[in-house]
Amino acid sequence: MLDDTLKAQLTQYLQHLKRPIRISASLDDSQASADTRALLADIAGASTLVEVVETDDAPRKPSFAIHLPNEAPRVRFAGLPLGHEFTSLVLALLHVSGHPPRVDQESLERGKALPGPLAFEIFFSQDCQSCPDVVQGLNILASQNPNISVTSIDGALFREEVEALQIMSVPTIYLNGERFGQGRMELDELVTRLDSSAVAGRAEALSNKEPFDILVVGGGPAGAAAAVYAVRKGLRTGLVTERVGGQVLDTLAIENYISVAETDGPKWVAGLEEQLASYPIEIIKRERASRLIPGEPHTLELESGGVLRGRSLILAPGARWRDMNVPGEQEYRTRGVTYCPHCDGPLFKGKRVAVIGGGNSGVEAAIDLAGVVDHVTVLEFMNDLKADDVLQRKLRSMPNVEIITEARTTEVRGDGRQVVGLTYEDRATGELRQLEVAGVFVQIGLLPNTDWLKGAVELSPMGEIVVDVKGQTSVPGVFAAGDATTTPYKQIVIAAGDGAKAALGAFEHWMRTSAPA
């Protein structure tokens, strides 16, 4: 099942097993079960501490549980955890055996104390880059807490169940049979959602912190670069963010970051986190800014109720996917309206979908989807596509793709449960036309995350933070960088350079304002 390279890596990883473990597999005569049986044989062959037994005690086939021989299973995979989930499988083997997870210890201890029973089911796809964080986080909790069990389900393999539950976006999480959440969540965020009593105490602890010399808001390329440059100047530096990496975590391929020939978002962010951890930067995760109050020091209010202060601030809140703002879009979000072709494309296998937007992101999404779904229709508002010529040539070579230009989407239509089609205006004639699709992938650009800054700093008509050549905003001591600013060309390399520039500008401001009278 695994190639020689993966087998060698697996053998190396499983040397860290602490105790014998058992894999109990429920299989049938399907090809998927045959593939699972082969995968489990490779795992057993990689370590003498792994035993594989076949049982018939699980409703989903193929599936397998990882557990200690004398304990009931708490970690189970339904389907083949390959692609992005192969790492989740390896980590589950290690953690169930007793190898300590490399996670925040405070969150881990809180997770160990959670009462139960808590039975989770996670629907994932092998191409989803957001799914592993959820799968690995919950598997860690299940390996440490006997009150928690987790089943990770490959949505592409168990399609009937996915359709019955109307799941159109992954990861989708169920807790004790009820929908718990969707989208990327790391361990500390999961624990916080399950242990809400800790929120007030955390907010108070944040509010009691001394002002930072430099407080960075946002953990994407711009914010991370700013924090590194600031702390290297010897300044007490804090970084507050919902998640380190920002939009980059949802990027499939990165092929234009100088000195890195090819990588993907999660790998790039892993390197970013490793570099941040090597410096004395105080990283505050799972927090979203809600208000900026300029002053001496500047005050940052958080949605959790906490308050942070900084003598200088660097704003790098990034951007989010732009909505179409048409009837039906919000109603059917995650029920056919989606923004991530890599994550959700496999859920539309054999169906007809539409991609809204003919720029690079839209055309790349259409190319990706064309290999999975039955048919893709690309709708572009202008009279021609805006993507690079090489992408357009690739798109036009695909037999199951239709391109419609001068098309303005006016409505997403559904049956009350999920998307069944959309309506668009032919801008050349003014005629309204119907398109029958099961999925609508919106790829029309980004909006800056700056609503909370209105009235605090100057914003452009597009909502971007107005900055000068040094990253200075309209407020002395408040700098900004990255996709949320007026700096043109929203690229990873530009955002990182922007963050460095803003940190140097903030350091220069600090030198001039901290000198004794």
Side-chain angles (χ1 to χ4, degrees), residues 9-200:
Q9 292 175 353
L10 184 63
T11 300
Q12 183 178 3
Y13 291 140
L14 296 191
Q15 290 177 1
H16 299 287
L17 292 175
K18 300 299 183 183
R19 291 176 287 180
I21 56 175
R22 178 176 295 166
I23 300 178
S24 299
S26 293
L27 309 172
D28 54 23
D29 296 329
S30 67
Q31 182 59 50
S33 285
D35 292 340
T36 302
R37 188 177 285 111
L39 172 63
L40 299 183
D42 287 342
I43 295 173
S47 174
T48 58
L49 294 179
V50 178
E51 174 194 20
V52 177
V53 298
E54 293 197 22
T55 65
D56 193 30
D57 59 352
R60 299 182 184 92
K61 294 180 177 62
S63 69
F64 60 92
I66 304 169
H67 59 107
L68 299 178
N70 60 340
E71 290 186 353
R74 301 198 299 270
V75 175
R76 180 178 293 274
F77 290 93
L80 277 170
L82 297 177
H84 290 298
E85 292 302 341
F86 183 70
T87 300
S88 301
L89 168 60
V90 174
L91 290 174
L93 293 165
L94 295 176
H95 296 151
V96 170
S97 80
H99 187 79
R102 296 176 60 183
V103 295
D104 175 67
Q105 290 303 303
E106 178 189 354
S107 297
L108 188 61
E109 292 302 318
R110 287 166 54 206
K112 289 180 179 179
L114 290 171
L118 302 174
F120 288 94
E121 292 179 320
I122 313 162
F123 289 86
F124 71 88
S125 77
Q126 294 182 15
D127 296 325
C128 172
Q129 298 184 85
S130 300
C131 297
D133 281 344
V134 180
V135 173
Q136 292 168 23
L138 289 177
N139 281 349
I140 287 172
L141 292 180
S143 71
Q144 303 292 312
N145 187 332
N147 298 314
I148 300 175
S149 63
V150 181
T151 301
S152 301
I153 306 159
D154 186 347
L157 188 59
F158 294 92
R159 293 193 55 78
E160 290 186 4
E161 190 171 356
V162 165
E163 292 180 3
L165 293 170
Q166 301 172 31
I167 294 171
M168 300 225 168
S169 180
V170 289
T172 294
I173 313 164
Y174 282 80
L175 171 57
N176 296 336
E178 300 293 331
R179 190 168 289 204
F180 175 76
Q182 286 182 302
R184 184 191 301 271
M185 283 184 270
E186 297 180 354
L187 174 66
D188 48 3
E189 183 178 355
L190 290 163
V191 172
T192 298
R193 286 198 59 181
L194 294 165
D195 181 21
S196 58
S197 62
V199 174

Side-chain angles (χ1 to χ4, degrees), residues 408-447:
R408 181 177 69 88
T409 305
T410 60
E411 182 184 8
V412 175
R413 294 181 288 107
D415 60 6
R417 299 185 309 159
Q418 59 193 33
V419 168
V420 299
L422 61 80
T423 302
Y424 71 92
E425 177 193 7
D426 183 333
R427 296 178 57 242
T429 65
E431 181 181 357
L432 292 178
R433 301 180 185 273
Q434 307 292 323
L435 190 64
E436 306 306 312
V437 292
V440 179
F441 290 79
V442 183
Q443 301 283 296
I444 55 174
L446 301 170
L447 281 176

Side-chain angles (χ1 to χ4, degrees), residues 335-352:
R335 293 192 292 162
V337 175
T338 179
Y339 302 81
C340 182
H342 314 301
C343 299
D344 301 333
L347 301 178
F348 294 87
K349 184 177 181 180
K351 298 181 179 181
R352 301 175 71 88

